[in-house]
Amino acid sequence: MPSETLWEIAKAEVEKRGINGSEGDGAEIAEKFVFFIGSKNGGKTTIILRCLDRDEPPKPTLALEYTYGRRAKGHNTPKDIAHFWELGGGTSLLDLISIPITGDTLRTFSLVLVLDLSKPNDLWPTMENLLQATKSHVDKVIMKLGKTNAKAVSEMRQKIWNNMPKDHPFTSKSEALLLKIRGVINQLAFGIDKSKSICVDQNKPLFITAGLDSFGQIGSPPVPENDIGKLHAHSPMELWKKVYEKLFPPKSINTLKDIKDPARDPQYAENEVDEMRIQKDLELEQYKRSSSKSWKQIELDS
């Protein structure tokens, strides 16, 4: 008798669970998706590891990385699942944003933007480019979903942009602040009640949960009123951007993109693999040259 395939084993396991009852007396297992984007070397991996209670040193994120965590809300209940995605490279890999954000994940999706305050000249362009790229892709996904379920899409769109990143837990290495950050992420990933504490003192790390601040509460930028009128801003966000960039002129977009090939990074060197890569690169170049000559010969003959 032939051995069972992996698919047959999985099917049998699902049927078995259906007969015996699922974990937690039939309680539904919740799944949520949390996507970390932001400044390169800004601390995204560190936050994820702390939230998952993993005591290990963070490693550089090459491109797009995935991990997950499981946590039960109470005794004898199934463990909810949180899927964590992290985009590396700052603003250099915007095309990869489309991978974790899909029609299947969007309903339970959260975006976490992490910015490096030690690099103020890069901060605004990094934030703007990442959020614009994310919003553009989300709009495409919603438009596609709208063709099949317009009502659900309308509700989803309202929920998404009502919960755009408004939390500002700017943090240092302080243990107390890391615990606050962990609380915010646990709320996004597992639905745990979020902290109601707030800190708006500019001399301390800001901690403002979503919905507890607004441009009206923040007020105008600290510049003379006469100068504000000269900036010709069409919205509070645009006004703050113009004032901010006057103090911290942004670098060229090209300088924000890390164009270095990770395959040639010394910290990931592997002699056998690298030698084979060099050999294949040479073979590819030879193939390109020979193909080019062949096409030219065909054109001459014709």
Side-chain angles (χ1 to χ4, degrees):
M1 181 177 180
S3 59
E4 291 182 298
T5 65
L6 184 60
W7 176 254
E8 290 169 338
I9 294 172
K11 183 180 177 182
E13 180 64 22
V14 170
E15 291 174 348
K16 180 181 177 182
R17 290 184 182 182
I19 296 171
N20 296 334
S22 62
E23 183 182 6
D25 297 326
E28 185 179 351
I29 297 176
E31 285 191 71
K32 293 192 176 183
F33 301 81
V34 185
F35 186 23
F36 284 77
I37 60 176
S39 305
K40 185 178 180 181
N41 299 322
K44 301 183 290 296
T45 305
T46 299
I47 295 173
I48 294 172
L49 292 175
R50 289 302 301 269
C51 290
L52 297 176
D53 294 320
R54 294 182 186 173
D55 186 16
E56 57 187 78
K59 297 177 181 178
T61 303
L62 269 182
L64 183 68
E65 294 196 2
Y66 166 83
T67 188
Y68 73 95
R70 303 183 70 204
R71 188 162 299 173
K73 290 181 180 177
H75 179 66
N76 197 30
T77 59
K79 291 184 177 181
D80 293 339
I81 302 173
H83 304 272
F84 293 93
W85 290 89
E86 180 188 352
L87 181 69
T91 58
S92 64
L93 300 168
L94 298 180
D95 291 345
L96 298 182
I97 285 175
S98 62
I99 295 175
I101 305 178
T102 68
D104 294 327
T105 66
L106 201 55
R107 294 175 187 274
T108 57
F109 195 90
S110 297
L111 186 70
V112 178
L113 175 65
V114 181
L115 297 171
D116 186 350
L117 300 183
S118 69
K119 298 175 181 176
N121 299 85
D122 293 345
L123 189 149
W124 201 286
T126 297
M127 173 188 71
E128 193 169 57
N129 286 325
L130 286 168
L131 289 183
Q132 284 179 352
T134 302
K135 185 179 185 302
S136 176
H137 178 67
V138 168
D139 286 341
K140 289 178 183 177
V141 173
I142 288 178
M143 188 179 297
K144 188 175 180 180
L145 289 173
K147 295 177 181 178
T148 56
N149 192 336
K151 183 179 178 181
V153 165
S154 177
E155 295 173 355
M156 189 187 303
R157 187 188 294 273
Q158 189 65 36
K159 180 180 177 183
I160 288 171
W161 302 121
N162 281 346
N163 291 289
M164 272 297 289
K166 298 174 186 172
D167 292 353
H168 312 297
F170 298 145
T171 180
S172 64
K173 298 277 185 178
S174 163
E175 187 65 25
L177 293 173
L178 284 172
L179 287 174
K180 282 189 175 183
I181 295 292
R182 179 176 173 178
V184 171
I185 305 304
N186 280 336
Q187 190 271 326
L188 297 175
F190 300 107
I192 297 171
D193 292 340
K194 64 181 177 182
S195 171
K196 295 181 180 179
S197 65
I198 184 172
C199 179
V200 294
D201 185 347
Q202 63 181 8
N203 297 310
K204 298 178 181 179
L206 302 178
F207 189 87
I208 308 166
T209 52
L212 295 183
D213 67 342
S214 66
F215 281 112
Q217 291 172 299
I218 295 170
S220 300
V223 294
E225 289 188 15
N226 293 337
D227 291 344
I228 288 180
K230 298 174 184 177
L231 294 173
H232 305 292
H234 298 92
S235 67
M237 175 67 89
E238 188 178 354
L239 176 61
W240 273 98
K241 177 184 177 181
K242 288 179 180 292
V243 173
Y244 185 90
E245 291 184 341
K246 207 169 183 179
L247 289 171
F248 304 104
K251 296 180 181 179
S252 168
I253 296 298
N254 291 332
T255 64
L256 290 178
K257 293 189 176 183
D258 185 3
I259 58 174
K260 184 172 69 174
D261 184 355
R264 304 183 188 281
D265 194 322
Q267 68 176 320
Y268 303 112
E270 291 187 39
N271 291 334
E272 292 183 3
V273 175
D274 293 340
E275 288 174 3
M276 181 59 70
R277 169 69 183 268
I278 292 171
Q279 180 182 331
K280 293 299 180 183
D281 286 343
L282 290 173
E283 291 175 1
L284 178 61
E285 287 301 317
Q286 291 173 357
Y287 174 77
K288 286 180 178 178
R289 286 196 293 269
S290 62
S291 297
S292 177
K293 290 178 181 177
S294 298
W295 278 109
K296 288 180 180 178
Q297 186 62 44
I298 291 173
E299 291 174 356
L300 289 172
D301 293 342
S302 61

